[in-house]
Amino acid sequence: MNPKFNYPTEIKGNRKLYSLLKGLNHPLEVISGNHQSVGDSYYIKASFTDKNFIFSQDKEFVEYILKQNHKNYHKSEIQSVTLGKYLGKGLLTNNGKDWLKQRRLIQPGFSKAKIANLVSIMEEEIDKSLESFKSESEVDLYDFFHSLAFNIVAKTLFSSDVDENTVNELSKIITEVQEVSTKEVRLPFYTQILNIFGVIDKNIEKSKRSKAIIQSILDKRRTSKEEKNDLLDMLIQTRYEDTQLPMSDEQLVDEMLILFIAGHETTANALSFIFFEISQNPKAEEKLKKEIENEEEMVFTSENLMKKSFTVNIIKEAMRLHSPAWAIDREALEDDSFKEYSWPKGTLIILYISGLHRNPKYWEHPDSFIPERFEDENSKNFAYYPFGAGPRLCIGEHFAMMEMALIIRKFYKRFTFISYQKKLEKKALVTLRPISLKGKIINNLA
């Protein structure tokens, strides 16, 4: 440890060895345990990478990194380089001026007003998927939501320009690419082994194939000269402020690929957690169904889906307990300090969102599912960042919230889900996901 800097409490000895070894496969357990042992912020030096890490679940520290001094922090190489070689330079992986330029260009397309235009496309996909449920159906909702969320992103991006076979091929490729990239992110030293066996080269070829598919859809749209008022139209028509030029095809394809991945993965995970919590809390389900009934014909309108409601409170509370974006990483561009702590340039900051969301310093009964706590969220200083914070707040927040509210209301207007699981097994990869969510669906209208 450099004596020039004043780090948080350091994790040493057996605890450090345990953290470095077990943290690869069980990060939530290890990080939570370290915070319980030493407090809301701690320091660890990873010998095999010679990197300094600061972990924090302190609200003020999180806000300092993401908001007050965000200019001193970039996404780490984990995302910008490791994921970037597969996904290109889109909003998820980009940094600095290039990222800011893209964000300013794309942001207007994800306003509440623009997203409201996509409700009818979402409805069509949801209704089609729900028709597969009979009077009683056994299902793994985790698989169901992945398929549904992927189809919704495909149709809101490309309207009718994409057929089912193409969607299935894209889904398969993206899943396979993610499986390898996740190993690289979590096990950096494992990259050499993957290289030796040609796994990374094969993965890059798969990524190129996914981009070629998207390029063909883009070419088809341009040739047709049709306007379909979907996200692809928005991306094609948008222009940079300084040059009034459109995005290059390469940039367009990169952005669309990232929208595919980010637009279905976290939403599917979040929906699985939401439906699990509803299944464990009958009073919440009863209150939700009452709200759906009371809304009558307005229940699925965009303005109703986006306004404050018990449906939205359920979503927020489930995402507090099970944050798909369970941690946010940043790398310091220059030496920095906050309160009594200081650290050098190059330090990796891991903002532990799962810990922040269950920190008893900020939440009463932090492990309990209480949607009503969000009734007065604006009058409280909530430590709640499921979509991040600051300039890099998730661009798809409105899209995801409206999509989830619509799926919940469409489902619970007709069905009940009975979970076979009383406890949800979770796996923390790039996102936090359940391993499965098996149960029985009852059609209440049958």
Side-chain angles (χ1 to χ4, degrees):
M1 185 187 295
N2 191 328
K4 175 184 169 186
F5 298 100
N6 188 30
Y7 297 94
T9 303
E10 185 177 7
I11 302 295
K12 297 180 181 178
N14 290 338
R15 185 83 204 174
K16 176 181 175 179
L17 187 63
Y18 167 82
S19 298
L20 295 177
L21 294 177
K22 189 155 186 178
L24 295 172
N25 293 317
H26 304 280
L28 297 183
E29 181 184 329
V30 169
I31 298 170
S32 295
N34 286 341
H35 280 304
Q36 284 170 8
S37 297
V38 301
D40 286 342
S41 297
Y42 68 85
Y43 162 84
I44 191 167
K45 189 171 184 67
S47 311
F48 54 83
T49 62
D50 202 35
K51 282 281 188 182
N52 301 301
F53 288 83
I54 292 176
F55 288 76
S56 185
Q57 60 177 22
D58 176 81
K59 180 179 186 291
E60 290 182 43
F61 188 89
V62 169
E63 290 180 339
Y64 176 77
I65 300 297
L66 297 182
K67 294 181 180 180
Q68 284 94 335
N69 201 26
H70 67 88
K71 289 182 179 178
N72 189 43
Y73 293 90
H74 275 181
K75 285 197 170 184
S76 72
E77 288 187 6
I78 291 169
Q79 292 197 52
S80 60
V81 177
T82 304
L83 294 182
K85 70 173 175 274
Y86 302 120
L87 307 183
K89 290 190 172 182
L91 285 180
L92 183 70
T93 54
N94 222 335
N95 271 318
K97 290 180 181 177
D98 285 346
W99 168 81
L100 184 60
K101 187 178 180 182
Q102 286 303 111
R103 178 78 184 213
R104 285 175 174 165
L105 182 72
I106 297 171
Q107 180 80 54
F110 285 85
S111 66
K112 284 187 177 181
K114 292 280 187 182
I115 296 303
N117 294 330
L118 303 174
V119 170
S120 59
I121 299 174
M122 291 182 183
E123 272 202 89
E124 189 178 333
E125 285 305 308
I126 295 165
D127 289 342
K128 192 164 66 176
S129 293
L130 293 180
E131 284 306 316
S132 65
F133 297 139
K134 311 302 179 191
S135 57
E136 277 196 24
S137 304
E138 296 212 340
V139 68
D140 185 334
L141 273 186
Y142 175 65
D143 292 338
F144 173 78
F145 286 139
H146 263 268
S147 176
L148 174 56
F150 198 92
N151 288 339
I152 286 174
V153 172
K155 289 301 169 70
T156 51
L157 261 176
F158 303 136
S159 297
S160 57
D161 287 350
V162 58
D163 58 60
E164 195 169 332
N165 289 335
T166 304
V167 169
N168 290 339
E169 185 183 0
L170 260 178
S171 179
K172 183 173 182 290
I173 291 170
I174 286 172
T175 299
E176 289 170 356
V177 168
Q178 278 187 286
E179 283 174 2
V180 175
S181 61
T182 295
K183 289 175 185 173
E184 285 190 82
V185 167
R186 296 286 304 285
L187 306 163
F189 48 85
Y190 191 54
T191 303
Q192 296 302 324
I193 299 170
L194 294 173
N195 256 325
I196 291 166
F197 288 99
V199 175
I200 288 178
D201 286 342
K202 286 178 186 172
N203 220 36
I204 288 171
E205 287 306 309
K206 287 176 184 175
S207 177
K208 286 178 181 175
R209 171 60 187 152
S210 69
K211 290 183 180 185
I213 292 171
I214 294 171
Q215 180 68 55
S216 68
I217 296 168
L218 177 58
D219 293 341
K220 181 182 173 185
R221 176 67 62 87
R222 284 221 179 93
T223 304
S224 73
K225 295 182 180 176
E226 286 184 72
E227 285 193 19
K228 298 194 175 178
N229 202 29
D230 55 14
L231 292 173
L232 179 56
D233 268 359
M234 179 272 291
L235 291 169
I236 290 172
Q237 292 166 11
T238 193
R239 297 292 183 269
Y240 291 108
E241 287 179 4
D242 52 350
T243 64
Q244 292 304 303
L245 292 172
M247 270 188 272
S248 66
D249 276 15
E250 183 182 6
Q251 190 69 51
L252 256 172
V253 169
D254 285 353
E255 296 297 357
M256 284 189 280
L257 181 58
I258 281 173
L259 286 174
F260 251 120
I261 292 170
H264 91 279
E265 173 82 16
T266 51
T267 302
N269 294 343
L271 282 165
S272 301
F273 295 134
I274 291 163
F275 274 62
F276 172 76
E277 289 295 347
I278 294 172
S279 75
Q280 304 303 302
N281 293 275
K283 287 183 179 176
E285 180 174 344
E286 187 181 338
K287 192 171 177 180
L288 170 65
K289 288 187 170 181
K290 192 71 179 169
E291 177 176 86
I292 293 168
E293 186 184 331
N294 291 341
E295 293 290 353
E296 297 178 339
E297 72 275 4
M298 298 297 290
V299 67
F300 304 132
T301 62
S302 58
E303 50 218 296
N304 210 294
L305 293 167
M306 289 187 185
K307 76 176 186 182
K308 193 169 181 59
S309 65
F310 189 67
T311 308
V312 170
N313 289 348
I314 281 177
I315 295 170
K316 289 180 174 179
E317 178 67 344
M319 289 185 75
R320 181 188 69 80
L321 287 169
H322 317 278
S323 306
W326 63 276
I328 297 172
D329 68 86
R330 292 290 185 267
E331 185 167 350
L333 302 177
E334 301 294 340
D335 295 355
D336 202 2
S337 63
F338 178 73
K339 293 189 174 177
E340 70 270 31
Y341 304 134
S342 58
W343 53 91
K345 171 184 176 178
T347 299
L348 288 172
I349 309 289
I350 309 297
L351 305 173
Y352 185 42
I353 302 302
S354 283
L356 177 72
H357 285 177
R358 290 181 183 242
N359 191 332
K361 185 193 293 184
Y362 311 113
W363 303 94
E364 290 182 22
H365 310 294
D367 297 325
S368 298
F369 180 74
I370 310 171
E372 289 80 5
R373 73 169 89 236
F374 282 91
E375 289 295 338
D376 58 349
E377 62 180 299
N378 293 324
S379 65
K380 290 187 177 181
N381 194 19
F382 268 35
Y384 183 68
Y385 298 113
F387 294 98
R392 294 200 80 137
L393 178 75
C394 176
I395 199 170
E397 178 182 6
H398 298 317
F399 183 101
M401 289 298 290
M402 189 172 77
E403 177 187 3
M404 289 189 287
L406 184 58
I407 290 170
I408 290 165
R409 286 184 169 183
K410 283 273 181 183
F411 181 92
Y412 280 99
K413 187 172 176 64
R414 293 170 56 188
F415 303 102
T416 294
F417 172 65
I418 300 169
S419 174
Y420 293 155
Q421 299 162 223
K422 295 301 175 189
K423 187 179 178 186
L424 206 55
E425 283 189 70
K426 298 184 275 191
K427 193 165 189 177
L429 300 173
V430 176
T431 57
L432 183 67
R433 63 176 70 166
I435 291 172
S436 66
L437 180 55
K438 294 179 179 176
K440 182 166 63 176
I441 288 173
I442 310 293
N443 187 337
N444 299 321
L445 303 183

